[in-house]
Amino acid sequence: MKKTALVLLLCFFSSASYVMAQTSNPEKYKYNFVVAKDGSGDYKYIQDAINAMRVFPLAPITLYIKNGTYNEKVELQAINTDVTFIGESVDKTIMSFNDYSGRGKMGTFDSYTVKISGNRFKAENITFENAAGRVGQAVALFVDADKAVFKNCKFLGNQDTIYNGGEYARQFFTDCYIEGTTDFIFGPATAVFKNCVIHCKSNSYITAPNTPKDKDFGFVFLDCKVTLADEVTKMHLGRPWRAWGKSVFINCELPNRIAAEGWDNWGNPENEKTAYFAEYENKGEGFKPKQRAPWTHQLTKSEAAKYTLKNILGNNSQSTEKEWYDL
């Protein structure tokens, strides 16, 4: 046998052995982890548990997080797919850090407390906090994963609390509490917020969508309740970070200090031709459809009927499968 052919054959068997090692014997890998600050779990730090996980796992991985305030900057990389975080209780399981834009060479997108990039991520019963205070942009959650779900979670911060990243990512927040000051829900992802409390802490803007032109949906709020701090006198529902930004509020409760015009063009009248901001059957003293900015929309019944989870977030290929956004 010629030397070149022998080398190629050896490379083939070596590669085959590597693939077999990566895909066989799933039982030898660990799929359940416990983090506890008191040392009663597998790890004391969340990042240590993530670092111990098998990348691209052969089965879903669950990380149970016991009560405590975990003061650490956490990243779940794109190679860490199919991971679920479950906290012991939402008010006592807290992931907190205090980075912010302008701290050294740090920018907005480095300021996160938690960054989630692994697809098919789920979280339940956890508080995500940026504790930097009112110092400018300071992200609590940076999520650019596709098919990411957050249930019964809290997001605490000020400006830029949640960055919904990933131009073609889909994300679902249900039964959550989100607070902030300016543009505190922002980014290009398609994200649905259902049965959430949105708490505003200053005269500013709730959403700053950065929706790509070819996407039908940006941020969609279904059956949510908007609340305002006592010092807030005028709050806008959103403004377009990029020209084609989209935000829609459907059947949401709006307090009386929501700005009558509802929306803002971010100082650029040209955005009024491209941004899509809409409402349907909202309620409360802050819902004043006849006074809304004339370039925004009040949906018809048939238009509103398109805003279903299936249409916005997609569905599994087989109708018998559980939808990815169901925890």
Side-chain angles (χ1 to χ4, degrees):
M1 182 180 293
K2 292 183 178 181
K3 184 176 181 181
T4 302
L6 179 61
V7 170
L8 290 173
L9 187 62
L10 290 172
C11 288
F12 170 81
F13 282 113
S14 176
S15 298
S17 299
Y18 176 78
V19 171
M20 288 289 289
Q22 292 295 301
T23 59
S24 61
N25 303 319
E27 67 280 354
K28 75 178 184 179
Y29 297 104
K30 186 175 177 64
Y31 297 96
N32 293 286
F33 296 80
V34 178
V35 172
K37 291 186 68 64
D38 62 5
S40 61
D42 301 308
Y43 297 94
K44 291 184 178 181
Y45 298 96
I46 295 168
Q47 191 64 55
D48 286 347
I50 291 171
N51 293 344
M53 295 176 182
R54 187 194 191 283
V55 301
F56 300 116
L58 306 177
I61 292 175
T62 301
L63 173 60
Y64 297 95
I65 307 174
K66 291 190 175 183
N67 286 341
T69 298
Y70 296 84
N71 292 297
E72 53 178 311
K73 196 175 181 77
V74 171
E75 181 176 5
L76 187 81
Q77 298 184 62
I79 56 177
N80 294 112
T81 58
D82 302 286
V83 174
T84 297
F85 289 0
I86 298 180
E88 186 174 352
S89 66
V90 65
D91 291 316
K92 295 182 179 180
T93 304
I94 302 169
M95 301 172 70
S96 181
F97 209 69
N98 61 352
D99 271 343
Y100 58 91
S101 179
R103 186 177 194 177
K105 296 182 179 180
M106 186 167 295
T108 301
F109 304 105
D110 307 309
S111 68
Y112 61 83
T113 295
V114 179
K115 183 177 182 180
I116 302 296
S117 298
N119 291 339
R120 297 174 298 281
F121 173 82
K122 295 182 180 180
E124 190 169 0
N125 305 334
I126 296 172
T127 291
F128 299 81
E129 177 186 44
N130 190 306
R134 299 193 182 189
V135 292
Q137 296 96 332
V139 176
L141 173 69
F142 179 135
V143 53
D144 59 356
D146 185 37
K147 297 184 177 180
V149 181
F150 298 84
K151 182 177 182 180
N152 191 38
C153 291
K154 289 187 174 183
F155 303 89
L156 309 182
N158 292 283
Q159 185 172 352
D160 295 355
T161 304
I162 298 178
Y163 174 60
N164 300 98
E167 286 195 328
Y168 296 94
R170 294 159 293 174
Q171 298 151 7
F172 183 51
F173 296 74
T174 181
D175 303 315
C176 292
Y177 171 90
I178 305 166
E179 70 171 31
T181 56
T182 298
D183 303 333
F184 59 95
I185 299 172
F186 74 113
T190 291
V192 174
F193 302 84
K194 184 173 176 59
N195 296 327
C196 294
V197 174
I198 313 298
H199 185 62
C200 313
K201 302 196 295 184
S202 72
N203 291 342
S204 200
Y205 312 89
I206 296 173
T207 65
N210 188 21
T211 317
K213 181 179 179 179
D214 61 347
K215 288 179 66 175
D216 292 329
F217 304 100
F219 297 152
V220 180
F221 296 81
L222 304 173
D223 308 309
C224 292
K225 181 178 182 180
V226 176
T227 61
L228 306 178
D230 291 341
E231 61 268 27
V232 176
T233 59
K234 187 177 183 180
M235 191 76 187
H236 288 79
L237 298 176
R239 57 179 180 169
W241 178 15
R242 187 157 59 179
W244 298 90
K246 296 179 174 70
S247 284
V248 177
F249 284 71
I250 295 176
N251 195 35
C252 294
E253 184 176 339
L254 307 179
N256 63 3
R257 287 168 284 156
I258 293 293
E261 64 273 20
W263 308 88
D264 183 84
N265 64 17
W266 208 319
N268 183 3
E270 288 298 307
N271 286 335
E272 298 177 9
K273 302 174 184 178
T274 51
Y276 190 85
F277 294 148
E279 299 171 75
Y280 180 72
E281 289 195 348
N282 288 330
K283 53 195 174 183
E285 296 180 9
F287 182 47
K288 301 175 182 178
K290 294 182 180 180
Q291 299 181 50
R292 289 298 192 247
W295 51 277
T296 64
H297 306 270
Q298 296 299 318
L299 301 176
T300 65
K301 185 176 182 180
S302 61
E303 289 172 334
K306 299 176 183 178
Y307 286 82
T308 65
L309 294 183
K310 181 178 179 180
N311 285 342
I312 302 167
L313 299 175
N315 67 315
N316 292 315
S317 58
Q318 299 181 20
S319 60
T320 56
E321 292 181 351
K322 184 179 179 181
E323 299 295 353
W324 65 265
Y325 39 80
D326 290 333
L327 270 175

